[in-house]
Amino acid sequence: TLTSTLLLFSSCKKDEATSADLYSAVPKSSVLILESRNLGEALKNISQTSMHSQVDSLPPILALAEELKSLKGNFDNDSVDDFLKKRPVLMAIALSGAEKYGALFIAPGNKDFEKSIGNRLSTVYEVSQKTYSEAEVYHFYKEDKSKNYYVSSYRNLLLFSTSSFLLEEGIRQINSEFNIKQNPQFQKLYNTSNKKDLANMYINMAELPEFLKTRLPLGNH
């Protein structure tokens, strides 16, 4: 299992000539997109904001932040931090089931990093693999299913989520003819954002009401 994981996890059926843009993997149902040039630092800062302390509206982001911390505990060096610091990263909050939201982590691919984490995680977790729409999808999990991580390297993008639905949605979106950057309103907002900031957060107002219903149940009455 370990050998096959290393071989497949470091390979990709499509070469760099067909590399996808980060935003091409953002699910259509995304209510919030966080773009950061240092995701670890951005998540730390979010947890200290007055918005977070006063409004419990960011559980999917913070849940993935906790999972990332848990994953980092499996590594003996700073490879995860170094990876996150050296490239732009997206975290999309989107529907992952009936009235349930989760987070999809999207980053530029790096074969050496992918090989190293595949190697390490295979020694800590059970692992299964399947092909989904030309992409190899890996499921790392505890036998009691208390931990579930889904990872795929596709079109030179690294996708990670605790939701198999969201990971597959990201792959489907990559192969779609439409992506969020083709929306003129989003493109205008994106072009005016300050790329020097630690992070930029984009909110899809069309999806926000349904999202808030899951955070504020009394709002349904």
Side-chain angles (χ1 to χ4, degrees):
T1 299
L2 177 59
T3 302
S4 62
T5 298
L6 290 179
L7 290 175
L8 292 172
F9 203 68
S10 61
S11 66
C12 185
K13 291 186 177 180
K14 301 217 173 187
D15 59 25
E16 293 184 2
T18 58
S19 295
D21 179 87
L22 288 181
Y23 280 88
S24 70
V26 173
K28 292 179 182 177
S29 64
S30 296
V31 64
L32 183 152
I33 304 167
L34 177 69
E35 178 183 17
S36 178
R37 53 187 172 80
N38 187 334
L39 184 62
E41 191 65 23
L43 291 173
K44 179 181 177 181
N45 287 355
I46 285 175
S47 67
Q48 298 172 349
T49 62
S50 58
M51 178 178 68
H52 168 255
S53 62
Q54 296 175 15
V55 182
D56 184 20
S57 61
L58 302 174
I61 290 182
L62 301 177
L64 187 58
E66 289 303 313
E67 293 294 353
L68 290 174
K69 288 180 183 178
S70 177
L71 275 174
K72 283 173 58 180
N74 295 308
F75 298 88
D76 299 326
N77 53 44
D78 296 325
S79 59
V80 175
D81 280 338
D82 289 342
F83 177 81
L84 294 177
K85 287 178 181 178
K86 294 178 180 178
R87 54 191 39 78
V89 174
L90 297 184
M91 186 185 293
I93 305 302
L95 277 171
S96 60
E99 297 184 350
K100 182 180 179 182
Y101 287 80
L104 175 65
F105 167 100
I106 309 164
N110 181 289
K111 290 183 178 180
D112 290 338
F113 177 74
E114 292 161 13
K115 183 176 180 179
S116 69
I117 63 173
N119 186 355
R120 179 56 183 162
L121 292 179
S122 295
T123 67
V124 179
Y125 300 100
E126 300 293 323
V127 58
S128 64
Q129 176 268 334
K130 71 175 184 179
T131 301
Y132 181 81
S133 188
E134 296 187 319
E136 303 296 340
V137 176
Y138 298 87
H139 179 198
F140 298 95
Y141 59 95
K142 291 291 187 181
E143 287 188 2
D144 62 1
K145 298 301 176 69
S146 60
K147 293 290 184 182
N148 291 280
Y149 304 116
Y150 299 89
V151 187
S152 184
S153 178
Y154 184 56
R155 303 263 312 262
N156 206 31
L157 293 182
L158 177 62
L159 308 180
F160 167 84
S161 182
T162 57
S163 164
S164 60
F165 176 86
L166 275 184
L167 190 83
E168 292 175 3
E169 179 65 17
I171 294 170
R172 287 195 296 271
Q173 189 59 52
I174 291 173
N175 290 323
S176 171
E177 295 181 357
F178 172 84
N179 69 67
I180 194 171
K181 274 193 173 179
Q182 291 172 285
N183 182 316
Q185 291 180 323
F186 178 81
Q187 186 64 59
K188 181 178 180 180
L189 181 64
Y190 178 81
N191 289 341
T192 57
S193 62
N194 188 348
K195 302 301 187 294
K196 294 182 180 180
D197 286 341
L198 178 61
N200 284 286
M201 187 179 295
Y202 307 100
I203 297 175
N204 184 349
M205 299 302 293
E207 297 288 340
L208 187 61
E210 291 301 314
F211 174 73
L212 290 178
K213 286 180 182 180
T214 67
R215 305 269 64 84
L216 304 169
L218 292 179
N220 294 322
H221 301 287

